[in-house]
Amino acid sequence: MAIFYLNVITVSRSVGRNAVVAAAYCSRTRLRDPRRETVADFSALGDIEHSEILLPIGARAEWSDRATLWSEVEAVEKRDDAQVAREVEIAIPSDLSRADRIALAREFFNEQFVERGIIVDLNIHRAEGADGVERSYVQGLFSMREIVEEGFGKKRTDWKDAKLLSKWRERWTLLSNKYLLAAGCGQLIRAGADAVRGRALEPFFEDEQIERRAENQEIAWRNGERLLGEPELALRALTRAGATFTYGELIAFVSKNTAGKEQFETARARVECSVELVRLSDGERFSTRSLVAIVQCASSQSGAIATASPGLEAAETSRTLKEAISQWESAGLRLRGVGLTYETAKAFEKKSGIKSVGVHGLLGRWQKKQDRLASTDVLVVNDAKGLSARQKEWMLRATRAARSKLVLVDGTRLVEIDGGATGLSPEEMTAVGG
């Protein structure tokens, strides 16, 4: 199945972003920013496949010049914390030809934006990812103000519609599949799949020239957005030079590759909650699941660490459930509670604040292919000792398939099992659960 990814990012001055720099990055060009008297130059990146400005009816002809357009967008905004533009980034099915990729992007942006009076700076990129696979994606940068005779008028409010992103994703899916079918491709896309995988984080400019600071800020923001959807990129980078790293090194990496306190805090929490992160037995260093040769499981009788099947980390944690919930929520993860019965589930829900259901009801919905887990879910099972072997097997299979996190609560003790792993049996899960 072809990869689906469509996300929207706001270009806001409150986190140091700038429309001219964003436009230079998206188009891989060199643009001067008159407001800050700096130059942004991304022309060396060289992965641009197609670039054009799509003007709606009533737009000035001079706005077809990228430098003129985005300089005026910046000039009309007076607030230091203004939101100056928005950007839509979409993965394009790689099976399509270059002509079809351009036609698909044009049809989508003309239909959803240009015909509604919105200027779009359309750019298509094609490059080899970190995994060696060549991929294509489109970046559409658009203004947030209505077009009037004098230039740019009031800020539009229609883009604030909470349902708009879902509409865009649905429409992109339909259009993409139309082009894939016309090209004779059997693999179609569906909305809701994971984000694009494989593209490495953007490298920073190493020189300390003043004009490079804005460009590095732009790269940091974009890397931060990548880490929010793919936190494993941080772990992959941290273990490139060595098999282990410290918590301080993790914090330094996330800080460098984010812009602003809010993005840093959310990205840090996502990385710390990643199912790939493994805390080693000394408690001071970390690694990734793929680099751990021996699995550590918590012994139910003595609390000691026992050797089990490779490929999975089941780590007993000293933090309380309340502390864990706070971290998971900070990472933007969805918490789902499970109890042995409806009554115990509701009691656990009242105690923990986690919306909970009985295990029989949950497994029944899973059998009907309803209410499935997502990679951003944390499944919290209260009193796992009472689960049957069949129920344990279902829990493990579901979390592995979704690459979500499974947490077993035994009194005040938490045991976290990373999803997506193999090798743990229902009997071993019993030992882990206590």
Side-chain angles (χ1 to χ4, degrees), residues 361-378:
L362 179 61
L363 296 185
R365 288 194 290 275
W366 284 356
Q367 285 180 313
K368 297 177 183 178
K369 298 183 179 180
Q370 300 172 352
D371 203 18
R372 296 287 188 87
L373 291 171
S375 60
T376 53
D377 284 346
V378 179

Side-chain angles (χ1 to χ4, degrees), residues 200-248:
L201 295 178
E202 296 283 348
F204 291 92
F205 291 103
E206 296 182 359
D207 55 67
E208 295 297 325
Q209 299 177 29
I210 294 178
E211 58 265 26
R212 293 302 197 194
R213 295 176 185 174
E215 296 167 42
N216 280 340
Q217 183 80 355
E218 177 75 13
I219 293 171
W221 171 264
R222 302 188 66 84
N223 284 347
E225 290 297 301
R226 293 286 314 284
L227 290 177
L228 295 181
E230 200 174 348
E232 292 78 18
L233 287 173
L235 306 180
R236 189 185 308 165
L238 286 164
T239 54
R240 189 167 293 135
T244 67
F245 54 89
T246 65
Y247 184 71

Side-chain angles (χ1 to χ4, degrees), residues 244-309:
T244 67
F245 54 89
T246 65
Y247 184 71
E249 289 170 337
L250 184 152
I251 293 299
F253 181 87
V254 175
S255 178
K256 179 181 179 181
N257 286 279
T258 52
K261 181 180 179 181
E262 181 179 354
Q263 191 187 53
F264 164 74
E265 293 291 348
T266 306
R268 176 193 59 77
R270 288 282 176 90
V271 174
E272 289 184 15
C273 289
S274 170
V275 298
E276 294 295 327
L277 182 64
V278 175
R279 182 191 291 270
L280 301 181
S281 58
D282 62 5
E284 301 295 328
R285 301 193 69 82
F286 297 82
S287 188
T288 63
R289 181 208 315 279
S290 59
L291 294 176
V292 174
I294 299 176
V295 176
Q296 297 177 332
C297 291
S299 170
S300 61
Q301 297 180 350
S302 63
I305 300 299
T307 301
S309 306

Side-chain angles (χ1 to χ4, degrees), residues 101-139:
R101 292 195 291 271
I102 295 173
L104 169 59
R106 279 177 175 164
E107 182 170 353
F108 174 78
F109 280 98
N110 275 317
E111 176 188 275
Q112 299 297 315
F113 297 88
V114 180
E115 291 177 8
R116 291 173 167 81
I118 300 173
I119 302 173
V120 177
D121 190 342
L122 176 65
N123 301 277
I124 299 176
H125 305 268
R126 187 169 180 83
E128 186 178 287
D131 57 359
V133 178
E134 195 173 61
R135 294 187 176 91
S136 299
Y137 62 99
V138 58
Q139 290 174 318

